[in-house]
Amino acid sequence: MDDLIPRRPRPALRMLKAPVVLLATGVVLAVVLFFGTRYYWGSVADRVMLEADTTRFDEAPVFITSIPLGRDGQVYRPYCLAESGDSLFVVYAEQPFIDVYDRDFQRLSSIHLEGLEGGLISALAVDNNTLYVADLRGKEIRVHRRGGEFIESYKWLPDAATRIVPHALALRDGILYVTDVANRRLHAISISPIPGLREQGELLFSTTPGSSGKAGFEYPSCVAVTPDGRMLISDLSAGAVYVFGCDGRFGGTFISAAPPAKFAPAGIAFDNLPSPSLLEQSKKSFDPSGLLQQGRVHIVDRSSRSVRVFDATGKAVLSYGADRLGIPNGILIHVARRLIIIADTQQGCLFVYKY
């Protein structure tokens, strides 16, 4: 009978329950706050700062967030990216305007480009308050003020008979590098005149057919200038990336697809993480260009829907993004913030990583 009579908890046990419950509640709240703040709450800039751990040379970047783009119920498909200061410029597929975002990916303004109706923006380069726009459909490089006002355009090669069909742009030290998909060449155009040396709008050089070691480029899709002054040019159709000197001379193949693997290189960007083995090599060999001390090369691969990473010599290091990316095109790396931004045209958003 005594077993059927409920026993009252001892006072000591009752006193013990309260701290245990409070402790458990505190642990749960701490976990919720940690993961909530780290991954869901706060601005993108806050989340980047919270992701304090940085990756090593052979480690993949850490995914931070994805940012859908669009307004008024319409989704915009980002195609390529550019930056100036803390401003991020986003070009959309089949749209005649450019959106400008701040460092927290809040839209600041939209730039409507005067006279671009019917055109197709395939690339953008920004120099202070000047915009250089590759109009693939209009077959011209358009120059606009920051507000969108049209200034001038570059349409013809010096023979005045051959039209430029620009696809990609890169700007470095007052020179605009342009991939020409119709003529299968790369052009270097002066945009900052130097008295007695070069004039505004002067064609400084063009690569010649066969300079890539073949009959010529098949489809030069992107150009990027490395910190040591080389040019990397991706060929979307050939599945290769070629290296050129700053004078336009062919330097070799940086990377190409190995059968039966496919490689569809698009955007190219650089970070500042040099290879430990190349750094060690630079101590033992004469390297006046500093090539062995350069960081990694990130190349968007449409075929694998990922970003492939190589060292400064073209050796494969790793890849990332295959679990998230749809059709990636543009890529931009902000070295000071160790931030990687990828434009995904298919999913209509930006993917943000930190390395």
Side-chain angles (χ1 to χ4, degrees):
M1 293 293 295
D2 291 341
D3 294 338
L4 298 178
I5 300 174
R7 296 180 180 180
R8 299 180 61 186
R10 296 179 183 179
L13 293 178
R14 288 202 304 269
M15 293 176 65
L16 183 62
K17 281 186 177 180
V20 170
V21 171
L22 288 174
L23 178 61
T25 303
V27 170
V28 171
L29 286 174
V31 171
V32 170
L33 285 171
F34 174 79
F35 285 100
T37 305
R38 191 179 180 92
Y39 297 108
Y40 299 102
W41 301 337
S43 66
V44 176
D46 291 338
R47 277 177 274 180
V48 171
M49 293 300 295
L50 285 167
E51 191 62 62
D53 297 334
T54 55
T55 58
R56 297 191 303 267
F57 175 82
D58 57 353
E59 291 181 325
V62 177
F63 173 71
I64 298 296
T65 189
S66 60
I67 302 170
L69 300 177
R71 51 188 178 273
D72 301 327
Q74 183 176 359
V75 175
Y76 294 134
R77 299 180 295 137
Y79 183 77
C80 60
L81 309 169
E83 68 173 339
S84 178
D86 284 335
S87 296
L88 172 68
F89 296 76
V90 181
V91 172
Y92 303 105
E94 297 290 348
Q95 296 292 344
F97 63 89
I98 299 165
D99 276 344
V100 184
Y101 293 82
D102 65 14
R103 61 185 287 125
D104 196 38
F105 300 95
Q106 298 297 314
R107 187 169 63 89
L108 298 173
S109 62
S110 292
I111 303 174
H112 292 265
L113 300 174
E114 180 183 3
L116 192 67
E117 293 76 12
L120 177 62
I121 306 174
S122 57
L124 172 69
V126 183
D127 180 30
N128 296 324
N129 291 318
T130 306
L131 309 178
Y132 297 89
V133 180
D135 183 358
L136 184 63
R137 187 176 293 148
K139 301 179 181 180
E140 61 181 340
I141 304 163
R142 301 174 60 89
V143 185
H144 292 258
R145 292 190 177 87
R146 177 72 175 264
E149 300 85 359
F150 176 75
I151 301 175
E152 61 179 333
S153 67
Y154 305 132
K155 301 180 181 180
W156 306 95
L157 293 179
D159 62 6
T162 306
R163 194 73 178 261
I164 298 174
V165 183
H167 185 277
L169 302 174
L171 186 58
R172 178 74 176 268
D173 298 331
I175 300 175
L176 186 67
Y177 299 91
V178 185
T179 61
D180 184 339
V181 294
N183 300 291
R184 301 192 299 172
R185 297 182 182 184
L186 173 83
H187 309 298
I189 301 173
S190 169
I191 60 170
S192 297
I194 299 177
L197 183 61
R198 67 192 192 202
E199 300 178 0
Q200 177 81 22
E202 178 185 353
L203 179 66
L204 302 178
F205 68 79
S206 293
T207 58
T208 57
S211 60
S212 63
K214 304 169 56 177
F217 295 113
E218 293 182 29
Y219 196 95
S221 54
C222 183
V223 56
V225 183
T226 68
D228 62 318
R230 296 173 299 156
M231 293 177 293
L232 295 185
I233 304 173
S234 62
D235 193 320
L236 190 62
S237 296
V241 177
Y242 302 111
V243 183
F244 286 78
C246 58
D247 58 355
R249 294 185 181 183
F250 177 62
T253 300
F254 183 75
I255 187 69
S256 62
K262 293 183 179 179
F263 183 36
I268 303 174
F270 313 103
D271 68 26
N272 59 337
L273 295 184
S275 165
S277 61
L278 292 181
L279 278 180
E280 188 63 27
Q281 182 181 336
S282 70
K283 298 177 183 178
K284 303 175 182 178
S285 60
F286 180 60
D287 180 30
S289 68
L291 168 64
L292 300 179
Q293 302 178 43
Q294 299 299 325
R296 302 179 301 183
V297 182
H298 297 239
I299 301 178
V300 172
D301 181 9
R302 291 186 190 173
S303 178
S304 63
R305 300 189 177 191
S306 66
V307 179
R308 299 173 63 179
V309 182
F310 304 86
D311 70 12
T313 65
K315 180 182 178 181
V317 178
L318 55 88
S319 65
Y320 63 93
D323 57 335
R324 288 186 171 87
L325 301 178
I327 300 181
N329 279 296
I331 182 171
L332 188 149
I333 295 181
H334 196 291
V335 172
R337 300 175 68 193
R338 296 176 67 104
L339 211 60
I340 303 170
I341 307 168
I342 302 168
D344 192 313
T345 308
Q346 182 185 60
Q347 302 187 62
C349 65
L350 302 177
F351 284 91
V352 182
Y353 289 80
K354 185 176 181 181
Y355 69 92

